Amino acid sequence: MQRRDLLKLIGVGTLVASIENKVLSSTFNKNKGPIVLSTWYNQSVLANVEAWKILEAKGTALDAVEAGVQVSENDINNCCVGLGANPDREGHVTLDASIMNHQYEIGAVAALERIKSPIHIARLVMEKTPHVMLVGLGAQEFAVSQGAVLESTILSSHAQKAYDEWLKKSEYKPILNIEKKGGSQMPDPMKSGEFNHYTIGMIAMDIEGNLSGACTTSGMGFKMRGRVGDSPIIGAGLYVDNEVGAATATGHGEEVIRICGSFLVVEFMRQGYSPEQACKKAVERIRAKTPRDTKDIQVGFIAINKKGEHGGYALHDGFDYGVTQVGTATQQVKSKFILP
Ligand code: ASP
C-alpha cells in the first residue's frame, strides 16, 4: 500500500483531506500554534501523523515527539532507525537517542542494544534518574529494569542482506551515501544496502507554545563497534531552548558534533536569524571548519523558532523534511543546500 493511501486510511481529523506533496518555501509560518517537523519527508509522513494526534488533542510537545519518532523506531523496514536497522561492522544493531523538553530537561542513551524504543528509554533517563545519559550495557539494564523487553539479536531480513553485502568487502569506509539530487530520497527500506545512514529528528511546538525535541537512530551503518554519533549528544543532534527555538540534525554525526550543531543553530536564532538562516550558518560552519573533504559529507539541520517559523539547510542537495501544521497534511520541504 502506498503511504498516501495508508494515511487516508489512518485519518487524522482535519489533516487527512489529502496528502499532497506540496513543496513549501523553506521559511514558512502558516499559523503560530502547534507545529511538528521531522527529518526526511518519507518517514515524516507517518511519524508526524502520530505526533499530530497528540498536538491536536492539546497534548504536550514532549509526548508528541516521543510518539512521533517511535513510528520510525517500530518500523522494522527502516534502514536506519530502530531494531530493523543496519548493524555495526560486527553485526550488532546499536541505537542512539536523545530527548529534550521545554524546561531544559534532557535524557539520552547511546550504543543501546536489543531494546525496541531507545527514545522511550532516553525519556526515562530524563525523568527517573539523576543523570542525563546512559550507554551500552548499563543503558540496557536500566531499560529492562523499567519493563523493556530484551529483543532478539536476529537482524531484519533487509539488514542481514545489506550486512552480507558489506561483509563481502568488509571495507571500513565511514562515508555516508549522499542523496540523489532533488530530495525525498529517504531509502526504499528493502534497498537499505544502498543507504548507510539516516535519523529521525523531530521538533515540535504545542498549543501552549512549548517546544520539545527527540532524535533517534542506529547511526552510521557498519560503523565501528562502540561508535556514537551526534544523535544522542544534546547540543549536537538535538537542542531545545524554550525561549528561542529548537533544532535537530541528520547526516554525518562527527561533523555535527564538531560544531555543536543543534546548539549552534539555536544560538544563531537567539541572535535573530530565521530558522533557515540559522541552519545555513551552521552548515557553513561545517564547510569552513571540517578537516574532511565536504564532497563526502552530508549534513542537514531543521529548526523552529518561537514564532512557529521553520527552516532547514543541508550541505548537499537531497535533504528534505516534513512539516505538519494546523489545517494541512504533512508537507514536504526540500531543503536548500550550499554545495553544488
Ligand atoms: N547523524 C547520524 C549519525 O551520525 C546518521 C544520520 O543521521 O544520517 O549517527
Side-chain angles (χ1 to χ4, degrees):
M1 187 185 296
Q2 295 291 314
R3 282 173 193 266
R4 57 191 295 156
D5 297 328
L6 183 61
L7 270 181
K8 278 180 184 159
L9 273 184
I10 293 168
V12 276
T14 54
L15 275 182
V16 183
S18 71
I19 179 80
E20 294 306 314
N21 299 1
K22 281 186 196 140
V23 177
L24 303 177
S25 70
S26 284
T27 296
F28 182 74
N29 177 16
K30 186 160 190 293
N31 282 307
K32 187 174 182 314
I35 177 170
V36 58
L37 280 64
S38 59
T39 51
W40 305 109
Y41 172 72
N42 284 1
Q43 66 182 353
S44 298
V45 163
L46 291 178
N48 285 15
V49 164
E50 218 44 47
W52 191 259
K53 283 183 196 162
I54 291 170
L55 295 171
E56 199 180 33
K58 302 191 170 57
T60 65
L62 183 68
D63 287 342
V65 294
E66 181 187 9
V69 302
Q70 277 178 326
V71 172
S72 297
E73 288 182 339
N74 292 338
D75 178 3
I76 202 73
N77 286 324
N78 194 310
C79 73
C80 308
V81 179
L83 286 175
N86 290 325
D88 65 17
R89 65 180 182 174
E90 292 178 33
H92 307 275
V93 177
T94 72
L95 303 173
D96 296 341
S98 64
I99 196 158
M100 184 161 186
N101 71 11
H102 64 291
Q103 293 173 310
Y104 268 77
E105 290 172 328
I106 55 178
V109 289
L112 177 62
E113 295 180 31
R114 300 180 59 187
I115 299 293
K116 201 169 172 189
S117 179
I119 201 65
H120 184 59
I121 309 307
R123 182 166 177 176
L124 292 174
V125 170
M126 175 172 91
E127 292 178 344
K128 302 226 162 142
T129 80
H131 306 301
V132 298
M133 183 186 255
L134 294 177
V135 305
L137 198 53
Q140 189 189 70
E141 284 169 2
F142 171 69
V144 170
S145 80
Q146 298 298 308
V149 174
L150 215 46
E151 306 285 343
S152 136
T153 55
I154 297 172
L155 298 181
S156 67
S157 55
H158 65 88
Q160 185 66 56
K161 203 167 139 227
Y163 185 48
D164 289 344
E165 210 41 52
W166 183 82
L167 280 174
K168 285 183 191 159
K169 287 192 190 154
S170 295
E171 187 185 10
Y172 188 57
K173 205 172 68 170
I175 293 180
L176 302 186
N177 66 273
I178 290 174
E179 295 63 44
K180 293 178 191 107
K181 293 191 190 305
S184 200
Q185 296 296 324
M186 177 67 190
D188 172 343
M190 297 319 289
K191 291 188 190 147
S192 57
E194 292 174 28
F195 299 95
N196 61 10
H197 77 104
Y198 290 105
T199 288
I200 183 156
M202 178 177 277
I203 46 183
M205 181 162 70
D206 60 31
I207 195 122
E208 302 290 334
N210 286 326
L211 301 168
S212 287
C215 189
T216 177
T217 189
S218 65
M220 207 181 267
F222 321 114
K223 61 194 175 186
M224 274 178 76
R225 184 140 179 78
R227 180 262 186 190
V228 171
D230 58 313
S231 308
I233 298 179
I234 295 292
L238 176 70
Y239 200 69
V240 177
D241 184 322
N242 203 45
E243 286 177 9
V244 177
T248 188
T250 183
H252 212 112
E254 283 73 4
E255 303 310 318
V256 178
I257 294 170
R258 197 186 308 284
I259 63 151
C260 299
S262 294
F263 177 75
L264 188 62
V265 171
V266 170
E267 290 307 299
F268 283 135
M269 289 194 286
R270 194 191 306 279
Q271 290 169 23
Y273 291 100
S274 71
E276 182 183 300
Q277 288 165 339
C279 292
K280 183 178 186 201
K281 285 180 74 67
V283 170
E284 283 171 347
R285 179 75 60 89
I286 290 174
R287 181 172 57 175
K289 300 292 179 194
T290 182
R292 297 191 44 165
D293 188 339
T294 45
K295 86 171 167 26
D296 295 330
I297 298 166
Q298 172 64 308
V299 172
F301 290 103
I302 58 173
I304 178 180
N305 66 15
K306 285 292 276 188
K307 291 189 241 166
E309 295 169 336
H310 62 83
Y313 231 93
L315 259 178
H316 293 273
D317 193 2
F319 174 52
D320 62 4
Y321 64 96
V323 57
T324 311
Q325 291 174 296
V326 176
T328 70
T330 298
Q331 297 183 287
Q332 180 189 23
V333 182
K334 291 189 180 183
S335 166
K336 294 180 189 160
F337 49 95
I338 58 173
L339 293 174

